[in-house]
Amino acid sequence: MSKKILLLGGAGYIGSHTAVELLNAGYEVVVVDNYSNSCEESLHRVEKITGKKLAGIYEANVCDKEALEKVFSEHKIDACIQFAGLKAVGESVQKPIEYYRNNIDSTLTLIETMKKFNVNNIIFSSSATVYGEENKVPYTEEMHRGRCTNPYGWTKFMLEQILQDAAFANKDLAVVLLRYFNPIGAHESGLIGEDPQGIPNNLMPYISQVAVGKREKLTIFGNDYPTPDGTCRRDYIHVVDLAKGHVKACDYIFGMKGVEIFNLGTGTPYSVTEIVTTFERVNNLKLNYVYGPRRAGDLAESYANSDKALKVLGWKTEKTLEDMCRDSWNWQKKNPNGYRK
Ligand code: UFG
């Protein structure tokens, strides 16, 4: 019997790519999403790519206990992956209470419901942001978490702590915390990809929208950082590699108890300028960009040591920066308005 995985926030950017890889690997997949920052269309495309059906699709808020109980009573769930959450760093500074309420409440409701239905495996979408400002790159999983610079980051920090406390108290619980670095790219079919609402906060969607003519120009935030070319360096990871990391985490979680933490990054940093020039080169186009002042809260460098995921999960990234830039553009070009017609 194949195992059934519940994806909370499964219609979003990382959730939809993970759904594809889980279905390809032979897992059954159920999705809960309230489409607050996603569309059901992405799930139809997941089915198109894989030629397989999702075992269930529910429109619900993860904070809604009754709705979650309905899902758990209709499906025997083996593990949950908690992707659902608000994720815009700048917005979280303006609306901290909304971020704390939504991100903490949804995950607490999920853990309580799992307990009620005796589901003991949870994989949580965490972030490199929990390394804070104090730690030195490359980040390793056993470093102490640092001070976050915004409420979004603090929700990840707090939820890591909450899940660790839950696993300490309940010895049957298995928790995998996945610390994502900077996911970019899209499925090579161009059918699913990142679909931000309004003005994109993140670099790659902004670049793609400049390339497609939706935004006039990219502003590179700061070129006076202590890095080789003065622009910030990040660990960009292809979203399909990231999704495959979740499959490995699912394979692993059924044989463990307690908490395991994994960085999901390539271990190789690239600067903003390198991203821009690579995007131009592989896609054979010119991007309109200017250098501007630094953005508040940005670190000069953030990148992973990803040895643990290789050693324990047998996972490593396979895609190159060229693949990431090509696949981001392929998605944007084919879907200039995202999932909306
Ligand atoms: N950047 C620009 N111009 C833009 C957008 C971004 O120059 O218009 C630069 C940023 O200054 C930064 C780099 O591109 O140097 C990457 O910025 P992103 O916003 O794409 O990503 P961040 O590294 O800031 O944020 C990511 C995740 C967050 C997470 C954070 C820390 O999006 O969820 O890493 O781990 F909190």
Side-chain angles (χ1 to χ4, degrees):
M1 264 284 280
S2 59
K3 296 244 190 302
K4 201 178 262 189
I5 314 294
L6 176 62
L7 308 188
L8 297 306
Y13 175 44
I14 301 173
S16 57
H17 286 82
T18 300
V20 166
E21 299 307 324
L22 285 170
L23 289 170
N24 284 341
Y27 283 100
E28 288 187 67
V29 176
V30 177
V31 170
V32 170
D33 204 301
N34 67 352
Y35 309 120
S36 68
N37 190 27
S38 61
C39 287
E40 195 176 344
E41 174 63 18
S42 70
L43 299 175
H44 301 319
R45 298 196 187 180
V46 164
E47 293 181 332
K48 191 166 172 193
I49 291 168
T50 58
K52 295 184 180 179
K53 285 269 167 225
L54 292 160
I57 299 176
Y58 294 83
E59 180 172 358
N61 189 323
V62 184
C63 300
D64 181 344
K65 200 173 172 66
E66 274 175 30
L68 273 195
E69 289 186 356
K70 181 170 187 293
V71 178
F72 279 83
S73 57
E74 290 179 3
H75 296 273
K76 198 200 149 295
I77 300 298
D78 294 293
C80 299
I81 310 184
Q82 165 55 332
F83 296 104
L86 301 174
K87 61 166 192 177
V89 171
E91 185 186 62
S92 80
V93 177
Q94 305 307 319
K95 301 178 178 173
I97 304 309
E98 213 173 307
Y99 270 65
Y100 288 116
R101 165 64 71 196
N102 181 79
N103 291 5
I104 309 280
D105 198 359
S106 56
T107 309
L108 290 177
T109 306
L110 175 63
I111 306 168
E112 286 169 352
T113 312
M114 286 173 60
K115 182 131 201 246
K116 185 163 176 183
F117 288 83
N118 199 25
V119 177
N120 288 312
N121 300 297
I122 179 166
I123 297 168
F124 176 70
S125 301
S126 189
S127 165
T129 197
V130 301
Y131 288 108
E133 296 174 306
E134 301 89 328
N135 287 301
K136 298 246 174 307
V137 286
Y139 300 133
T140 51
E141 291 86 349
E142 78 286 352
M143 286 174 169
H144 285 293
R145 288 185 294 250
R147 283 185 54 76
C148 298
T149 52
N150 56 77
Y152 158 79
W154 282 117
T155 67
K156 296 296 181 191
F157 181 104
M158 291 174 190
L159 286 164
E160 283 202 356
Q161 188 63 46
I162 288 168
L163 285 160
Q164 285 173 324
D165 293 344
F168 182 78
N170 174 4
K171 300 298 179 203
D172 291 329
L173 195 62
V175 173
V176 171
L177 305 176
L178 298 179
R179 292 179 178 160
Y180 306 156
F181 282 73
N182 289 58
I184 59 172
H187 191 267
E188 63 180 10
S189 63
L191 284 170
I192 56 173
E194 190 168 10
D195 181 22
Q197 303 305 300
I199 302 170
N201 302 300
N202 297 112
L203 180 62
M204 188 52 87
Y206 206 102
I207 288 179
S208 304
Q209 291 196 7
V210 171
V212 84
K214 281 180 85 170
R215 312 264 159 220
E216 189 209 333
K217 62 173 186 290
L218 171 76
T219 302
I220 295 180
F221 299 138
N223 59 351
D224 57 350
Y225 283 97
T227 58
D229 65 19
T231 63
C232 294
R233 297 205 301 172
R234 294 286 179 273
D235 188 334
Y236 296 94
I237 171 171
H238 196 294
V239 66
V240 171
D241 278 332
L242 187 77
K244 288 179 177 167
H246 292 72
V247 177
K248 293 285 189 184
C250 283
D251 298 343
Y252 185 73
I253 203 167
F254 298 111
M256 63 163 274
K257 295 278 177 252
V259 182
E260 287 288 348
I261 306 177
F262 297 101
N263 286 337
L264 295 184
T266 67
T268 306
Y270 289 102
S271 73
V272 180
T273 303
E274 285 174 303
I275 300 294
V276 168
T277 53
T278 306
F279 192 95
E280 290 185 321
R281 176 168 53 78
V282 303
N283 297 319
N284 196 22
L285 48 77
K286 281 273 159 231
L287 284 170
N288 189 14
Y289 67 91
V290 293
Y291 290 100
R294 291 183 179 195
R295 180 173 73 177
D298 277 343
L299 299 176
E301 295 195 293
S302 164
Y303 58 96
N305 173 315
S306 45
D307 293 351
K308 185 181 172 194
L310 176 60
K311 202 168 138 226
V312 178
L313 300 178
W315 172 88
K316 65 174 178 9
T317 57
E318 288 162 356
K319 307 260 189 191
T320 63
L321 182 61
E322 281 77 10
D323 296 328
M324 302 182 214
C325 290
R326 197 180 303 115
D327 292 339
S328 288
W329 178 229
N330 183 42
W331 151 254
Q332 180 72 57
K333 215 170 33 184
K334 288 184 175 158
N335 306 270
N337 298 313
Y339 291 110
R340 286 154 200 83
K341 293 265 175 323

